[in-house]
Amino acid sequence: MSIANISPLVRMADKLALHAPISVEDRVSLLELPYASRFFEAGSYLLRDGDTRDQCGMLVSGFAYRHKINVEGLRQIVSIHIPGEVYDLQQLHLATADTNVQALTRCEIATIPHEALRRLAAERPSVAHALTVTTIVELSMSREWMLGIGRRDARTRLAHLLCEFAFRLDKHGLPPGQAYELPMTQEQLADTLGLTAVHVNRVLKGLVNDGLIVHNRRGVTIPDWAVLVAQGGFNSRYLHMNPPDAIVRPPDHA
Amino acid sequence: MSIANISPLVRMADKLALHAPISVEDRVSLLELPYASRFFEAGSYLLRDGDTRDQCGMLVSGFAYRHKINVEGLRQIVSIHIPGEVYDLQQLHLATADTNVQALTRCEIATIPHEALRRLAAERPSVAHALTVTTIVELSMSREWMLGIGRRDARTRLAHLLCEFAFRLDKHGLPPGQAYELPMTQEQLADTLGLTAVHVNRVLKGLVNDGLIVHNRRGVTIPDWAVLVAQGGFNSRYLHMNPPDAIVRPPDHA
DNA sequence: TACCATAACAAACATATGTTAGTCCGACAA
DNA sequence: TTGTCGGACTAACATATGTTTGTTATGGTA
């Protein structure tokens, strides 16, 4: 089977398997879900506060960010989404969205009808469980971010975020990959950290000067994982990831 | 039927009904759940980071708060729980807890075996749905708090929190009750708002001086709901509450 | 009544972070 | 080549919030 014929839904199955046991049969049933695929340019809204949906959207490629805006127009980014994640799973249970989701880069979206997903969840409790765990992990992550914004200083906050990205983007080996793409502007970083762009610039340069990270155009590399982890006070437990060998693949996919 | 014989689980059913449709049969089945009841003193830990559970705990009376602690020992309170709420629902799906929950006041806890709750959820999709919605609403609330900590100034943040409490504690009429019990110390308020106790004191006094609230020993009263709402930039949509008449009660409970 | 713990309150001072207002630079289009 | 634009970057200054330290109420208790 050529790469071109692999369903984009494998990304979703892989992602679910990071947090909950997914059997071979579960995986097959996920790949049989109906879907439609489409591209969005960077900056497009994938979901708007107040929207109603009858389909779920999964990021096949690219990045997206979720944000809220207060009465003064200030923006707070409350989560970043990476490929394989369903960014509007909650709309399966709630009538209207309470956040905005915007494309961070150009990205490909696969949409799956709510009805099909509901049917699958009803038939396969393990899939339903995996979807629920997904939401719970999002909750856990948002609490960790609250701790950061409320009780960590700017430098620690930024280091922690960079660790989190490294960990989540990693194929799940240890230690996480030393280099990754970070397509966020300093203003966007500021809005996720509860800082200003100017201060992000200061702190970012501080981390670079002190050799904790290398930050060349659009990418970050981490020379010493342990050092950055220490600076960020990072502990991956809140991400609730399974050990890598918990990921089960159908035999024909190996 | 005398008050003394009413199961504490009605509080849970009422709470679920705030967010999702609960039929009379659902309600009856909830009241038939096995449970054990017990009291905890203020300050007791109801759940610790890392704990494993085989029962869920519901607050029958009293208040509790959930918090995380960073490497420097600084504490961030990430949610406040009020009667009727199940504070460790997530342990139904996750092996270990990632937050601490501590009693804010002396409180009564009813524990329900996971097994019984799982069986009920499997039998009654509407109950399963209501439980899921509960988690999603917690996620929504935590995102709103992130917005506050990251992008609202101290005064607005405090006003918003006071509005939220008024709204959640209210029996759900409009406008919310003008007075309620607030058994939190200024240090606890500080830890939920991402401030220091000293600054909470300053800001609290500011709100009192300007007539936005009256703050007499352990309680808050709100002379003009609209004014405080404006100061806090408060919009209750993120709480995802049903209109009051959506709450269905069994006939013998009216 | 005295004692003790806890919380509220206050003032002086310190600083992390925000604000404003620019310059510089690379990417891209005409 | 020139022009435009967004983003990175800088510097001087402003301020919201934190820190430290202590005093004052309050409530429980012996």
Side-chain angles (χ1 to χ4, degrees):
Chain A
M1 177 193 285
S2 84
I3 287 288
N5 290 331
I6 291 180
S7 161
L9 298 182
V10 297
R11 306 219 66 145
M12 176 175 163
D14 285 350
K15 190 61 71 180
L16 291 178
L18 286 179
H19 301 292
I22 292 289
S23 70
V24 173
E25 298 79 34
D26 293 333
R27 182 174 283 269
V28 168
S29 69
L30 282 163
L31 297 190
E32 285 170 349
L33 282 168
Y35 71 92
S37 167
R38 180 177 162 198
F39 283 88
F40 288 83
E41 293 308 313
S44 320
Y45 275 84
L46 305 179
L47 183 73
R48 271 180 203 273
D49 195 341
D51 276 1
T52 296
R53 284 292 149 91
D54 60 357
Q55 314 210 332
C56 279
M58 183 205 67
L59 263 174
V60 180
S61 67
F63 296 83
Y65 62 103
R66 181 186 307 273
H67 67 270
K68 303 194 72 155
I69 299 182
N70 77 359
V71 282
E72 274 132 8
L74 298 177
R75 178 176 70 167
Q76 176 69 43
I77 294 176
V78 297
S79 62
I80 306 285
H81 292 284
I82 67 178
E85 293 183 355
V86 179
Y87 55 82
D88 55 3
L89 230 204
Q90 286 108 240
Q91 297 337 115
L92 206 56
H93 297 96
L94 238 45
T96 66
D98 51 28
T99 52
N100 306 286
V101 178
Q102 221 169 335
L104 196 50
T105 61
R106 172 178 160 84
C107 52
E108 183 183 359
I109 303 297
T111 54
I112 304 164
H114 280 178
E115 202 33 52
L117 213 45
R118 283 210 187 88
R119 198 160 35 222
L120 176 57
E123 281 169 10
R124 305 205 137 262
S126 53
V127 171
H129 174 252
L131 291 173
T132 301
V133 169
T134 290
T135 297
I136 294 176
V137 170
E138 276 194 70
L139 177 56
S140 174
M141 288 175 56
S142 87
R143 285 167 175 166
E144 182 69 28
W145 282 29
M146 276 184 67
L147 172 62
I149 298 172
R151 287 293 183 236
R152 286 199 258 254
D153 65 21
R155 185 181 167 104
T156 308
R157 232 181 285 180
L158 178 54
H160 189 278
L161 185 67
L162 294 175
C163 287
E164 182 184 304
F165 284 162
F167 203 91
R168 289 171 61 197
L169 290 170
D170 191 58
K171 302 308 177 218
H172 210 236
L174 276 179
Q178 263 74 11
Y180 59 89
E181 181 195 15
L182 181 69
M184 296 177 74
T185 69
Q186 295 184 356
E187 190 183 3
Q188 287 163 340
L189 282 172
D191 281 345
T192 104
L193 297 171
L195 300 168
T196 58
V198 173
H199 202 55
V200 165
N201 184 279
R202 278 196 279 252
V203 173
L204 200 50
K205 215 165 29 158
L207 289 179
V208 170
N209 281 343
D210 299 348
L212 297 205
I213 59 169
V214 183
H215 182 229
N216 39 14
R217 177 153 304 289
R218 297 270 152 106
V220 171
T221 112
I222 303 170
D224 190 334
W225 175 242
V227 172
L228 192 63
V229 162
Q231 170 63 65
F234 179 77
N235 180 328
S236 68
R237 216 157 58 73
Y238 72 98
L239 294 172
H240 294 283
M241 296 226 188
N242 283 332
D245 53 9
I247 304 181
V248 181
R249 292 174 177 283
D252 64 341
H253 183 272
Chain B
M1 178 192 283
S2 85
I3 286 287
N5 290 331
I6 292 180
S7 162
L9 298 182
V10 297
R11 305 219 66 144
M12 176 175 165
D14 286 350
K15 190 61 72 180
L16 292 177
L18 285 179
H19 301 293
I22 291 290
S23 69
V24 172
E25 298 79 32
D26 293 333
R27 182 173 284 268
V28 168
S29 70
L30 282 164
L31 297 190
E32 284 169 349
L33 282 169
Y35 72 91
S37 167
R38 181 177 161 198
F39 283 88
F40 288 83
E41 292 310 310
S44 321
Y45 276 85
L46 306 179
L47 183 73
R48 271 179 205 272
D49 195 340
D51 275 2
T52 297
R53 285 291 149 91
D54 60 357
Q55 313 209 332
C56 279
M58 183 204 69
L59 263 174
V60 179
S61 67
F63 296 83
Y65 62 104
R66 182 187 306 273
H67 66 271
K68 303 193 71 154
I69 299 181
N70 77 359
V71 281
E72 275 132 7
L74 298 176
R75 176 176 73 165
Q76 176 68 43
I77 294 176
V78 296
S79 62
I80 305 285
H81 292 283
I82 67 178
E85 293 182 355
V86 179
Y87 56 82
D88 55 2
L89 230 203
Q90 285 108 240
Q91 298 336 116
L92 206 54
H93 298 96
L94 239 43
T96 66
D98 52 28
T99 52
N100 306 286
V101 178
Q102 219 169 336
L104 196 50
T105 61
R106 172 179 160 84
C107 52
E108 183 181 0
I109 304 296
T111 54
I112 305 165
H114 280 179
E115 202 33 51
L117 213 44
R118 284 210 186 88
R119 197 160 37 221
L120 176 57
E123 281 168 12
R124 306 206 136 261
S126 52
V127 171
H129 174 253
L131 292 172
T132 302
V133 169
T134 289
T135 297
I136 294 176
V137 171
E138 276 194 70
L139 178 56
S140 174
M141 288 175 56
S142 87
R143 285 166 174 165
E144 182 70 26
W145 282 29
M146 276 185 66
L147 172 62
I149 299 171
R151 287 294 181 236
R152 285 198 260 255
D153 66 20
R155 185 181 167 106
T156 308
R157 231 181 284 178
L158 178 54
H160 189 280
L161 184 68
L162 294 176
C163 287
E164 182 184 303
F165 285 162
F167 203 89
R168 289 170 62 197
L169 290 170
D170 191 57
K171 302 309 178 214
H172 211 235
L174 275 179
Q178 263 77 10
Y180 58 89
E181 181 195 14
L182 181 69
M184 296 177 72
T185 69
Q186 296 184 357
E187 189 182 4
Q188 287 163 339
L189 282 172
D191 281 345
T192 104
L193 297 170
L195 299 168
T196 58
V198 173
H199 202 56
V200 165
N201 185 280
R202 277 197 280 252
V203 172
L204 200 50
K205 215 166 27 161
L207 289 178
V208 170
N209 281 342
D210 298 348
L212 297 204
I213 60 171
V214 182
H215 182 228
N216 39 13
R217 175 151 306 287
R218 297 269 153 107
V220 171
T221 112
I222 304 171
D224 190 334
W225 175 244
V227 171
L228 193 63
V229 162
Q231 170 63 64
F234 179 77
N235 181 327
S236 69
R237 215 157 57 73
Y238 73 97
L239 293 172
H240 295 282
M241 296 227 187
N242 283 331
D245 53 10
I247 304 180
V248 180
R249 293 175 176 283
D252 65 340
H253 185 271

